Amino acid sequence: MARPKRKSSTIAQDVNSQSMPPPPPAKRRAREKAVAASTNPAVNSEILDGVKALRASPDAEEESERFDVNKVGLTKGQVKEEAEDVPSLVEDAGSASPLSDLSDAEPPPPKLAKKTGKAAKGGKAATSEKAAEPEKPAKNEKAAKSGKAVKSTKDVSKPAPKKESKPEMEDPEAEGEEEADEVEIKEALSRPPPVHSDYLPLPWKGRIGYACLNTYLRFSNPPVFSSRTCRIASILENRHPLQNPDEPPHPTKNRPDKGKPADVARGQLYVENICLANVKDIIKMVRWNDKYGIKFMRLSSEMFPFASHEEYGYKLAPFASEALADAGKVIAKLGHRVTTHPGQFTQLGSPRKQVISNAIRDLEYHAEMLSLLKLLPQQDRDAVMILHLGGVFGDKGETLDRFRENYSKLSPGIKKRLVLENDDVSWSVHDLLPVCEELNIPFVLDFHHHNIIFDPEQIREGTKDIMGLFPRILQTWRRKDITPKMHYSEPTPAAITGRQRRKHSPRVATLPPCPPDMDLMIEAKDKEQAVFELMRTFKLPGYHLFNDIIPHIRKDDNKVVRTPKKKKGAEEAEDPVVVVVPDDEVGMGGAEGRVYWPPGMEEWLRPVKRVVKKKGPEDSKAQAKKPSPKVKEEEENVEDEVTVADEEAAAPVIKTKGGKAPAKKTTENKETTTSKKPARASRGKKVNYAENDD
């Protein structure tokens, strides 16, 4: 039996085919059956980017505060929205959310509508067109009752024209700007200016980190990131066996057959395959960070999709124990710090029991993930879980009492890692620091949040006055022998009001006046590039390790080699020499360390997009007018024939005694003008009529 041909690999490999006899067909099919679906989102459309990892921080809700995947090359459909997991927004497979309902969390202030016309002058927000449309039929009904003819302003039979969608991420400072009324703007402009400290923590001795996603590695080939996720619908679909179990899965040719019985274990294997791909990429991300002087990173909460879900949740052990332990060995060897930050809906102060149980389940998941890393004692203590207190629910005192009660019921594994952070909506440093001192919980100071929510009776806006609370804040960490950490980010330059200042700037311009030997988390949507920016600005350790990338060109990837089709009769050309980058070096920036991209130049991370220009009406007409080579040749022949006739018609006319010179014979003229042969071949010797007359 002849061995079936295999498709040639894009990367040449030295394989001795004589020493390896072809396996029997049955075994080959069995091996193909074990092949899992691809976890590369460029190949498998079911693999999505977790939206939380793209954000500057978990509380960064604006689209402009996410890393701009659309500008780099991804489409919006490849990013999973958080609303898909929250049943109060979208029902997802009829299951409950792993987090709290939105109705339980205190919602952010509503966006004010843009004022136009008289409504703007009166100080009231103008209603939108959609809201005003239902009022029109009421007017028509009155006119109909009075007997007057009603003239419709719209043609009901024709659908309303769709509004042109605004391109995403045109300007990081202009996209999604909050519209504020005059009163709010006046209040913002009348507030006292912030008072900042002139102290810089230099020379820097601590660690500076970023959150969840490495932008350079995310767009390497293959992509490296730890926030792959999916939809619950994909899990349910993959509970069914493939249409052809003997062949590997394919997005179109070999999908799950819903007509066959479903198996929960089969769907769980699908999720576990995504989880293990995420954990595997943690190793390369840590190695990449270490190469460029970054020793601190926040792990993505989406590393294990739906792990804390009430219905579809699962434990990480034993299937992920070995993979997490391998990642922990690399983290421990390179001396890195890793932390986590559960989402904004994980709240321990809610009045609803369901929300509390969801929050505890989510915290248990994060604690298990960090514990399975098997880090060294100090690194394990430093692997904390940052939590916001959440909504106020009408009364801060009662909410704090509920938090105290629920905190006392937490497991020791959660208590040893849980830390509290001030937010930019409700809870200030003065609200949470006393509770942290009371319950022995470390407190994370977020400078950006503090400049928005603070107690003006005790402190001024800015970084100077808050330094007076540093001893108390640092003591909450030292009591538990944990390395202190703080968060830093900056608002966008165009922000005026408090709600506008909540938006995170893509990068930061300076360092906060924190102690120089602590850890600092930079919460910015440009992720590791924001850390590089600080390194270059203040010549921090590691600033000399990286260089600017070459726009749209990456020399640390293995490109797909496409062999051109050979033309018939053409000589066989030699195969091109392929330089293979080892797997460990793919995406690592090469020998020159070209991994830095300037602000706003995300598109440099990918090759230049090929823009296919659509033919317009003018191009179509020009193409239609352009003659084919055969028609062009016939037109040239006709032109030659016409030239001969013109020459003869233009010959001099000499008068004789009988009148005009005798014309040529009719047969000659006929042959000359009607000949289908090329005109130059049918030309004869010209007749000199003057000589004949003589």
Side-chain angles (χ1 to χ4, degrees), residues 29 39 56-57 59 82 106 172 181 218 226 246 305 329 334 423 427-428 436 439 461 491 505 522 585 603 618 649 671:
R29 286 196 295 269
T39 57
S57 69
D59 56 293
E82 189 176 29
E106 184 169 278
D181 58 17
R218 172 60 186 86
S226 62
D246 295 334
K329 290 178 182 178
L334 299 178
D423 60 55
W427 300 95
S428 68
C436 290
L439 301 178
E461 178 185 345
S505 179
I522 303 300
E585 296 302 322
E603 65 267 23
E618 296 180 357
E671 289 177 2

Side-chain angles (χ1 to χ4, degrees), residues 8 13 18 46 54 94 96 121 223 297 475 506 544 551 580 600 612 614 643:
S8 59
Q13 295 181 354
Q18 296 180 356
E46 293 182 355
L54 299 174
K121 294 180 180 180
M297 183 176 67
Q475 185 60 26
H544 62 286
V580 180
V612 180
K614 295 183 179 179
T643 303

